[in-house]
Amino acid sequence: MQHMRTAELINLLRNPERNAAAREHLSTLHHTVLVHLLGELANWLTVEIVKYQERQTPTFSSSTPTSPQPVSRSASRAKSGEGDNSPRDSSGALETFQQYQIRKQIRLTLSAIQTVLGSVQVATPASSNSIDATDQTNRGKKAIALDDAKQEQILDDLLGPIMTGCAPLGPRADSGEIQLMCAKILKFFTNKRAENGLFPTEDVIKRILALSDTASRSNGMHAQEPPKKKPRLAVDLAATLTALLSSPLVKLQDCGIFLLANHRSIRQQDAAWASISPLKSTLESLRSNLDDIGLGNLETDDDDAGRQTVDKELDATLSHQHRALTLLNLFIQDVVHKGSTDVGASHLRALKTAGEIGLFVDLWTGILRIIVLDQVKFTVRDQLVAMTTNVVYGTCYVFKDQAIGHLMGEGSETLMAWYAYFIVPHDRSIEGGKSEEESYKSRAQMLQCCARLGEIMVTTERYQPVSMAENALVGRIFMRRSIEFLETILEATLPITEMEPQPLDLDVTTTVPYSIKIIRQRPEVLEAMLGVLVGCLGYLKDGYMAVAKGNLVFVLVALLVDLKSLFGQISISASSQQRIHSHVLSLLVRILSWEVDTGLQDIPLNLWTLGCVALVDLIMHPLERVKDATGQLEASSSSMDSQGVKAVHIFIQFWKQYPKGRSLLAELYGPRFYQPYMVRILLDDSKNDLQQSSRAAITSWGRDRVSNLLELMIYLGVESSVRIHMRETWSTLIFMVALLSASLKRLQDHRFRLSDKLSHLVAWKCFQALACFWFDQTALVQLIHMELDSESFDLFGSLGKLMLPDSITAGIPGGNPATLSIVPVLLGILEPPCRKWTVDTMLGTESLRDDKHRVMRRKMHHPLLERDDALVLEAAMMLSKLTQFQEGQLAVISKPGAVWTLSRILIERAIVQEKRRLVPPEQGDQEQGSLDKGSQSATSPLELALDGNQGSSNSVYRRPPIITSMQRDPLNRALLEILTRTVSSTNLTKALVVNNTITELFSSILAIDHSLYFHRDVTVFDQGELGGAGNSETSTQDNSTLPTHDILPSACQHSVYCVFFAYFRQAMEPLFPQLQRLHGFAAGGASAIAGDAEEISDILFGLQEQSAVVFLYLSRPESFSILDSSNLLASESHIGDVFRMLTLEMDYTADSEVNEIDIDQVAVEGAHREAAALRKFMAGLAIQPWTWRYVDTWRERHEELMHTYNDVLTTEREDHVEKLRRQGISTPLELAVPIRFLVQGQVISFADRNLLACASPHFSSLLTGEFLESHQDQVTLHDVDPVDIQMLLECLQESLTMPSHYLLPEDLPFDMVLRLMACAERYSIQFIKRLAELWILTTLQKREQRWHDSAGRGQDDAEAKKRDPESPLSGHENKKAKVEDGDLKIDQVYPDDEELSEAKDEEEEESIQECLLMVYEQCSDPRHGDIYTPQHPFYGLVWDALARLCLRLGSVAILPRFQRILDQGGEEKIQEFLKAVYELMVNQAP
């Protein structure tokens, strides 16, 4: 198309007289040509508007720009209405003639644009998208997509002048015509109801926003810009919208309302919020009109039905005002959806400027008056009801306190009136001819708003006191009306599946009640009303009266059902249904907690069944979503979690208040709850493979829900009829044991911390539930051994070691048990956590690899026992019930370490109690004597212990305080019952022997070096409490290193030992016949077995040895004849068997010394070493009870021995120094004659030859006698270690000047001092020998005290060094527990024994057992003579060491040093040692 033709066409279009010809010509053009034509017209329009602006008078524009500039029209607003002939604009400037001519040209250009747009319109209703008043011929041309820059540029050129023209251009009265034409064009472009247009509506909106944004940025630029070839008008969206909404012309206002109401993207702009303030005047006019109509101040007409109507002009005005209110509601709803906290303060101010809550309440009141009187009809009457209701509710939601406060003050009556109006049915003709469904939908929406407002007033803490006051009606009106509305639900058959269901035999109507129709349209109404009742019944004291008089409980029980299945045709979201159920559950919880008759007993059977099924579904459905064994869970919302908690509460109330319905509740709940997969859910194991969201879903269940679920388990167990189903049908026992096992596993993983309240709660509830079966012997036997069905088997296979403790899964392939027993679980609670019991635990060692090994005493902290946790008592009492049966006894015996653990707990509790009593030492003697007499009584062992009737009437000590205290302590009583029944079972004699059960029992009693295994409290050595000589505060400097006059076992240990040893020995007396037969069979069978049956022979020999050990435990010394002590290994007696076990050869070679390691061979050798160590330990332990009888005698001898060293540091030292000085030390040092000794190639010098000769008779004869060495300067010494002789000479030299207690420091190696003692004896230096003996006795005593009083090997040093910042163990101070106000606030975390042991490896000292062995080894050297002769140089020391070795012979026998001593000495050494032991056993030692 040529340019001239375009110009001619434009002129043709701008000529009104030739408009028809122009339209005809346009119909022949292609649509792309029309787009270009619109672009040209847009340029014309832009130029004309710019010219008009440039010709403003100076008073209107301060300067005329040299080039077209963007002009904002926000400052020029049209204030005049139609017919206003004011000659001035807003600035007071007159319109010039040129401007008038330009304005006429603008009108012609706009008309031409309308003509072009009319020619390309597609088929749409003329009323919805017409750009002029005449009908257009629509040819359905296809819309041009905005897909290139040229078309986008054309649209920008067109939108700029159109939006600018929507604002007033000048002061002429007919300037509104240009605004209206531009507004119609803009409405044409933005009408979403047109499926097609010249440009897509979405693209038009995007360009409007883009142009507005570009204009706002350009306004901030400098005024001086280079001239542009093409003038461009700025697009000020705020000015455009403000001009439209503030225009006096209704049509212009409607265009602005249309633009904002139909496009949310424009509504979200700041410019839109800034332009809504003119709506306030429109709403004020609406208020005035409604008041006039309601008061009858306006003339009305009658319609065909005889009803009064307003005139058409007012009706149109009301429709326009309704549209303005609708627009404001859209802004309010935008804030509601976005949240008032996320909306800017400027937006809230703009919203408040457009209308306040007072104005909206007035509108609500005015329309209420019209509706109630029902006198006047107009088109938007019903729409205004809905809109004012929504606006009031939205405003209260947005502005909250201020709006709700005004509503409660001035609008409460209006709110109550509307609530009462909507809550009852009305003639649907009032709804303005709507269909029935539309009418109910509208009423439901308005009722929802009113109910929501009422819910806010009665549930919000701030408004609740006002709305619920005694003289206030809001709360009571809402409560009563809501109850009336809900009770009408019962008028229909439930569940409702059709609009008109068939009635049952109940007295119900055949029509669907109004309430159900409303709920079907808006389920949120039900939610809001239930919320109202939650607030009212929770606050009003007289609320129970309203409930008791009606059938609200029936309705609430029915509402527990899924609403879709209850009401049939209903569309409800899952979240809304959850909130409804939450309200129903809250109401039921509160109502059922009242001490009034709620009518639950009268509930119809069908409702009760529906409610119970739904209630159990609410409890179990979230749990059953976790059935998948892989652990894939669906996230559970918090509302579902809270529903579950409330549902359990209601279940409990139903159970309590409706006994007749318990069977139904149990049948519904039991089979679904007692499923193994519930174990994982209830405990939420943190180590499983669940996804993070799923784990959070489980965790949200919370402690309260778990507590109540397990409380239901207890309630069901109390009911005798239900309990039978629990045991026989529902796998309840398996479930309880699995749940208890999992709780134990979790407790172990968390180190039994106090913070793990969930696991404690689960375990405690399980014990309470299991207590229901205490008197059901069948159930108790089942608990000992339960066969798992296929489902349970598969589930435990999936759980495996994730949820089950090692006590159940140990030794099972894949950790999948085929059977389940509660005995290992109970023992797992009684055992110390995080420390698996092995034979090493009983032996007191962890390995026997090399000579550097030390007896590793490890303290096995037992937090549950230390804090007297109720779980320990429950486990012990349950286990006591199970040991009534032989199956339970066998289960305890079969568990390695079970008897040792139980007896050790019992012993330690007795020791702690006895320590607190501070029993005098002599009481132990009385106790032992009384027990020897009482052991012959015919009273049963259990009664003997629990009743305290030990000893005859003539006994000095008839009621041992230890046993008497157990009578008052339920835990001690239960433990004693378990052990008594287990170790005295005659039917299990072989199992007791084979499983070393007797050894476990007595090893725990005879644990001399271990004061407390399971307690963190340190019990000091008895002498410290009784004021012994070791009190450093009362000791002088000279005797501060003297040992205390006491040895182990302490008086407290000895008294406890006597009580329990005598008791258990008598308890096991019925085993003697069985043991004799067993020993005879084993001895005879072992000798008769041929050599080719070596394995069977070994078994019989082992059985013979074990029987002999048990005999030695249980027999009294007077029952054995005196043996020939010269050849004890050949004795055929029980003692001979034990001695042969004691001296059994044992290979201590370390595995690491083997070059080529065979894994299987190493394992076999390790098993052999462990078996040999156990046999030696059993033999030594069996001897200990014989030696403990004489501990008081040996303690006295020890005291006498210690008194012989009282003068070593004082008188003997003074005599030693005086002797040396008197016999030749007066010679000056420079004149002294030195002497050199050659010892094994080393030369050792001594400064004074005469001093050495004076100190030692040996050296005196050697150096000053007639021997050849007396003339030599260097003397050769044989058979002595150079280190020993050098240390001897140094001590001799320093003894003249250094204090005695500094001569031998405490940190010297023990074996070094022993060699020094032997060296001093050999060379006859008596003072050094006596000083070394005193050091040895003192060190033995200190180490004995440390091993008795410490919290474990190395751990006592760590505790002592925690306060020392330079200590290498000070890093453990972060692990100590914090204590505030005497209460433990956080978890106790104890130092790890392995870490502490590693830190102390280099400084580790020898154990007391090794020290005693070294003393015996050194003192029994044949060079010193026979130890039985009093002339032996170490006579007192060696027999004191032997006595103390026998007192702890079990732990001594397994040491590598003990084996080496016997091996190096040969048969003679073994016989000598056994002879000494035997003579100590029978108290025949010298």
Side-chain angles (χ1 to χ4, degrees), residues 914-1158:
E914 193 73 357
K915 279 286 185 181
R916 293 169 182 171
R917 290 166 50 87
L918 296 178
V919 180
E922 59 271 12
Q923 185 166 343
D925 302 335
Q926 300 175 0
E927 196 165 332
Q928 181 182 6
S930 64
L931 288 173
D932 289 338
K933 298 177 183 179
S935 61
Q936 302 174 2
S937 173
T939 310
S940 67
L942 189 57
E943 294 176 355
L944 186 70
L946 298 181
D947 298 336
N949 296 324
Q950 286 185 302
S952 62
S953 59
N954 298 326
S955 298
V956 178
Y957 186 58
R958 295 187 64 248
R959 294 178 61 86
I962 299 173
I963 300 298
T964 304
S965 64
M966 290 184 182
Q967 187 178 10
R968 300 188 298 267
D969 191 325
L971 176 57
N972 291 346
R973 185 183 184 95
L975 292 173
L976 198 58
E977 290 175 350
I978 297 169
L979 292 171
T980 303
R981 293 172 181 146
T982 301
V983 300
S984 62
S985 177
T986 56
N987 295 329
L988 301 175
T989 304
K990 183 179 178 181
L992 290 171
V993 174
V994 172
N995 289 279
N996 297 319
T997 304
I998 309 297
T999 301
E1000 290 182 13
L1001 173 66
F1002 288 108
S1003 67
S1004 65
I1005 299 176
L1006 301 174
I1008 180 175
D1009 296 315
H1010 302 263
S1011 177
L1012 298 176
Y1013 279 89
F1014 304 142
H1015 288 74
R1016 186 165 48 92
D1017 301 331
V1018 176
T1019 61
V1020 297
F1021 199 31
D1022 287 23
Q1023 57 82 23
E1025 294 179 353
L1026 303 176
N1031 194 335
S1032 60
E1033 295 182 0
T1034 60
S1035 301
T1036 63
Q1037 183 179 10
D1038 291 337
N1039 63 0
S1040 60
T1041 58
L1042 284 175
T1044 58
H1045 298 173
D1046 208 352
I1047 62 174
L1048 287 176
S1050 65
C1052 176
Q1053 275 183 300
H1054 189 253
S1055 62
V1056 173
Y1057 155 77
C1058 292
V1059 173
F1060 286 104
F1061 191 85
Y1063 166 74
F1064 284 113
R1065 186 171 59 187
Q1066 183 178 358
M1068 289 186 287
E1069 281 185 356
L1071 301 180
F1072 264 92
Q1074 296 284 351
L1075 288 172
Q1076 290 175 350
R1077 288 193 294 270
L1078 189 62
H1079 183 269
F1081 167 77
S1087 60
I1089 291 296
D1092 56 350
E1094 184 179 352
E1095 183 177 354
I1096 300 178
S1097 178
D1098 291 342
I1099 294 175
L1100 292 176
F1101 273 120
L1103 190 59
Q1104 177 184 350
E1105 291 175 346
Q1106 291 169 339
S1107 302
V1109 168
V1110 175
F1111 262 113
L1112 212 59
Y1113 282 133
L1114 305 183
S1115 301
R1116 293 179 175 82
E1118 56 269 19
S1119 63
F1120 287 91
S1121 59
I1122 301 300
L1123 304 178
D1124 181 11
S1125 60
S1126 61
N1127 192 10
L1128 293 170
L1129 288 177
S1131 174
E1132 297 297 332
S1133 65
H1134 296 101
I1135 295 180
D1137 291 338
V1138 171
F1139 279 171
R1140 284 188 288 273
M1141 293 174 62
L1142 183 65
T1143 57
L1144 179 72
E1145 291 186 5
M1146 182 174 173
D1147 183 15
Y1148 287 90
T1149 304
D1151 297 335
S1152 59
E1153 296 178 1
V1154 183
N1155 295 330
E1156 296 182 2
I1157 299 179
D1158 185 353

Side-chain angles (χ1 to χ4, degrees), residues 56 84 239 359 489 592 598 629 767 937 1271 1413 1434:
Q56 298 290 343
D84 184 5
L359 174 60
I489 295 177
L592 295 175
T598 57
F767 277 122
S937 173
H1271 303 288
L1413 282 173
F1434 308 113

Side-chain angles (χ1 to χ4, degrees), residues 178 704 799 1007:
I178 294 178
D704 187 33
L799 294 179

Side-chain angles (χ1 to χ4, degrees), residues 81 88 350 459 602 634 800 843 957 980 999 1081 1097 1190 1192 1411 1421:
R88 299 180 182 273
T459 57
D602 302 327
E634 299 179 11
L843 299 181
Y957 186 58
T980 303
T999 301
F1081 167 77
S1097 178
Y1190 314 112
D1192 295 320
C1411 291
D1421 193 305

Side-chain angles (χ1 to χ4, degrees), residues 81-245:
E82 189 173 356
D84 184 5
N85 296 321
S86 174
R88 299 180 182 273
D89 59 11
S90 59
S91 62
L94 295 174
E95 182 184 39
T96 63
F97 179 75
Q98 292 179 344
Q99 287 179 316
Y100 169 73
Q101 294 296 330
I102 295 173
R103 181 160 54 81
K104 290 175 61 177
Q105 298 300 320
I106 291 173
R107 186 170 58 251
L108 293 176
T109 303
L110 289 173
S111 178
I113 292 174
Q114 288 181 335
T115 302
V116 175
L117 291 176
S119 66
V120 296
Q121 279 191 97
V122 295
T124 55
S127 59
S128 63
N129 203 29
S130 178
I131 62 172
D132 54 18
T134 60
D135 293 337
Q136 302 295 327
T137 302
N138 302 316
R139 293 185 297 276
K141 290 187 179 291
K142 193 173 183 179
I144 301 175
L146 194 61
D147 55 358
D148 55 40
K150 181 61 177 177
Q151 291 176 343
E152 182 176 328
Q153 183 64 42
I154 292 173
L155 182 58
D156 289 349
D157 293 342
L158 184 60
L159 290 176
I162 293 299
M163 294 185 66
T164 303
C166 290
L169 294 178
R172 291 293 295 174
D174 58 353
S175 62
E177 183 181 357
I178 294 178
Q179 290 180 260
L180 187 58
M181 295 175 70
C182 290
K184 287 184 177 182
I185 295 173
L186 187 61
K187 183 178 180 181
F188 171 82
F189 281 122
T190 59
N191 190 356
K192 294 196 297 185
R193 286 180 294 177
E195 296 181 1
N196 292 302
L198 187 62
F199 300 100
T201 305
E202 293 79 7
D203 293 340
V204 174
I205 299 301
K206 289 179 182 178
R207 297 315 308 161
I208 290 176
L209 298 178
L211 291 173
S212 177
D213 184 61
T214 303
S216 63
R217 289 197 303 268
S218 64
N219 287 337
M221 299 173 61
H222 296 289
Q224 298 296 331
E225 293 184 359
K228 299 180 181 179
K229 297 180 180 180
K230 184 178 180 179
R232 177 68 61 85
L233 291 173
V235 178
D236 192 340
L237 183 61
T240 301
L241 295 175
T242 303
L244 292 175
L245 295 179

Side-chain angles (χ1 to χ4, degrees), residues 1286-1403:
Q1286 184 172 2
M1287 184 176 182
L1288 175 65
L1289 296 176
E1290 288 178 358
C1291 289
L1292 178 61
Q1293 181 70 43
E1294 294 172 352
S1295 65
L1296 295 174
T1297 57
M1298 187 178 293
S1300 300
H1301 55 273
Y1302 290 138
L1303 287 176
L1304 299 178
E1306 293 184 6
D1307 57 351
L1308 284 177
F1310 192 84
D1311 58 342
M1312 180 182 289
V1313 179
L1314 276 174
R1315 296 196 306 271
L1316 173 65
M1317 178 189 70
C1319 188
E1321 163 61 25
R1322 177 176 181 179
Y1323 296 109
S1324 303
I1325 304 179
Q1326 190 65 19
F1327 172 71
I1328 301 298
K1329 173 205 168 190
R1330 295 273 292 171
L1331 184 64
E1333 290 176 347
L1334 176 61
W1335 185 94
I1336 290 170
L1337 289 170
T1338 303
T1339 302
L1340 287 174
Q1341 191 62 39
K1342 290 181 178 179
R1343 295 195 180 183
E1344 195 163 37
Q1345 290 180 15
R1346 278 200 294 269
W1347 278 69
H1348 176 274
D1349 300 338
S1350 67
R1353 179 68 174 174
Q1355 189 166 333
D1356 52 338
D1357 301 325
E1359 294 291 338
K1361 291 188 177 183
K1362 280 183 182 180
R1363 296 183 293 272
D1364 183 8
E1366 298 180 0
S1367 170
L1369 302 179
S1370 60
H1372 290 286
E1373 61 184 357
N1374 294 331
K1375 297 184 179 182
K1376 62 184 179 180
K1378 295 183 179 180
V1379 179
E1380 301 177 6
D1381 300 329
D1383 295 330
L1384 191 62
K1385 300 300 183 183
I1386 64 172
D1387 299 334
Q1388 303 181 42
V1389 180
Y1390 305 111
D1392 184 61
D1393 291 339
E1394 279 89 355
E1395 297 178 13
L1396 296 175
S1397 178
E1398 292 175 3
K1400 293 287 295 179
D1401 278 344
E1402 297 181 358
E1403 305 176 8

